[in-house]
Amino acid sequence: MTSGVGALWSHRNSLRILVRRDLAVKYQQSVLGYLWSLIEPLGMGAIYWFVFGVLYSRDTNRHLGEAAGSYPLFLITGIFAWMWTSSALSEATNALTGQSRLITTMNVPRQVFPIGRVTGRFAEYAAGLPILAAIAIWYAADGRIDPGWSLLALPLAVLVQATLLVGLALLLSAANVLMRDVERFMRLLIRVLFYATPIIYPLSLVRDSGLPGWLKSGYELNPLVGIFQLHHAVWYPDEFPHARMLATTVGISLLVLVVGWWTFRRLEPAVLKEL
């Protein structure tokens, strides 16, 4: 894995070119271009705010606590991070099958292709951070939030999320070449994960629910739970995950990266033969 990382670093310019190409191709026939990376999460946020912030505001406010007065910020924070997750997993799954000719002709580490999809979707997430910051400044001016040291949770959240996504991208991209059902399965799993992760609702809602204890414990083993708690903790320090959840999230993310890298290397000969 160390030698693989070294080879990947030596071809970082190839990764940069691939990311720029993917972004250019994705928006080349779009009038609004990169603005779509902002419009979609903002539109989703507006819909969920109407449902949970207006129609079911009583139940929502009871569980949000201090975040109740700035629920749109809570929503947008989670949805922006989720768009990076869902888009990266969806596109990384077919990163190899969709670029077979390029993969078999370019002399670069094949990990560049799935990692490039994760990096490209991160660029879209980063483009939305100024919008997120503007919303946060609005609520801070009203005294509804008081960000401070908790802002340091953002780089930690991004680092852990990137680690998990790269590991999953390597694993899924290689598996999808050999078993095309993986892509269809991921469409379903991504929908399930959206509601099985505290993105549009606080974690306390799950902890205070009538679910069995073993199910609550299993729910918190999902590394995305800890990652999205970190994202929310940027503006709401009380949402910062406790030590056990944070350690579990980081540990599982690192494990997924190692397993994904190892699996990709083991399957690479079969993948190239299939392509």
Side-chain angles (χ1 to χ4, degrees):
M1 184 172 178
T2 303
S3 60
V5 172
L8 187 63
W9 177 253
S10 65
H11 289 84
R12 60 189 180 277
N13 287 331
S14 299
L15 176 62
R16 177 178 56 83
I17 292 171
L18 284 172
V19 170
R20 292 180 63 182
R21 184 211 64 170
D22 288 342
L23 290 172
V25 170
K26 183 175 181 179
Y27 297 109
Q28 65 179 353
Q29 294 181 333
S30 172
V31 176
L32 296 178
Y34 293 108
L35 288 177
W36 282 114
S37 64
L38 305 178
I39 293 173
E40 187 174 358
L42 289 174
M44 289 179 60
I47 293 171
Y48 286 111
W49 169 79
F50 176 74
V51 174
F52 298 104
V54 177
L55 300 183
Y56 293 96
S57 59
R58 182 179 301 176
D59 295 333
T60 302
N61 292 340
R62 186 172 69 251
H63 289 279
L64 281 174
E66 294 182 1
S70 55
Y71 182 51
L73 176 61
F74 184 92
L75 270 177
I76 295 299
T77 300
I79 290 176
F80 265 69
W82 172 252
M83 294 302 295
W84 176 22
T85 301
S86 61
S87 299
L89 292 181
S90 298
E91 297 186 18
T93 301
N94 60 12
L96 302 182
T97 56
Q99 305 179 94
S100 57
R101 181 173 298 180
L102 194 60
I103 291 169
T104 54
T105 55
M106 284 187 66
N107 184 24
V108 296
R110 275 75 185 193
Q111 294 96 325
V112 163
F113 296 94
I115 292 176
R117 296 299 176 86
V118 175
T119 307
R121 303 297 75 76
F122 170 72
E124 294 178 337
Y125 167 75
L129 287 179
I131 303 296
L132 188 61
I135 298 174
I137 291 173
W138 172 272
Y139 283 114
D142 286 349
R144 301 185 192 182
I145 62 171
D146 185 21
W149 64 266
S150 60
L151 293 173
L152 298 176
L154 181 58
L156 177 59
V158 169
L159 179 61
V160 178
Q161 186 172 351
T163 301
L164 178 65
L165 291 179
V166 168
L168 289 174
L170 293 170
L171 180 63
L172 294 171
S173 60
N176 188 55
V177 175
L178 305 178
M179 298 179 293
R180 299 303 172 92
D181 291 338
V182 172
E183 186 174 356
R184 295 181 175 86
F185 172 75
M186 284 306 300
R187 293 174 190 168
L188 173 62
L189 182 60
I190 287 172
R191 293 191 185 98
V192 172
L193 285 175
F194 178 77
Y195 294 102
T197 306
I199 300 170
I200 60 176
Y201 58 85
L203 180 60
S204 60
L205 185 62
V206 177
R207 289 175 172 170
D208 296 340
S209 67
L211 293 173
W214 62 269
L215 189 56
K216 294 180 183 178
S217 299
Y219 173 90
E220 295 189 11
L221 287 177
N222 174 9
L224 288 175
V225 173
I227 289 171
F228 279 89
Q229 285 299 102
L230 285 172
H231 279 289
H232 288 308
V234 174
W235 317 115
Y236 310 101
D238 291 342
E239 297 294 321
F240 196 89
H242 53 70
R244 185 176 63 181
M245 175 181 288
L246 182 60
T248 301
T249 299
V250 173
I252 293 178
S253 298
L254 289 172
L255 179 62
V256 169
L257 176 62
V258 173
V259 171
W261 195 287
W262 179 83
T263 302
F264 189 94
R265 295 290 294 173
R266 288 295 300 269
L267 295 179
E268 189 172 2
V271 166
L272 292 177
K273 183 179 179 180
E274 185 68 21
L275 292 175

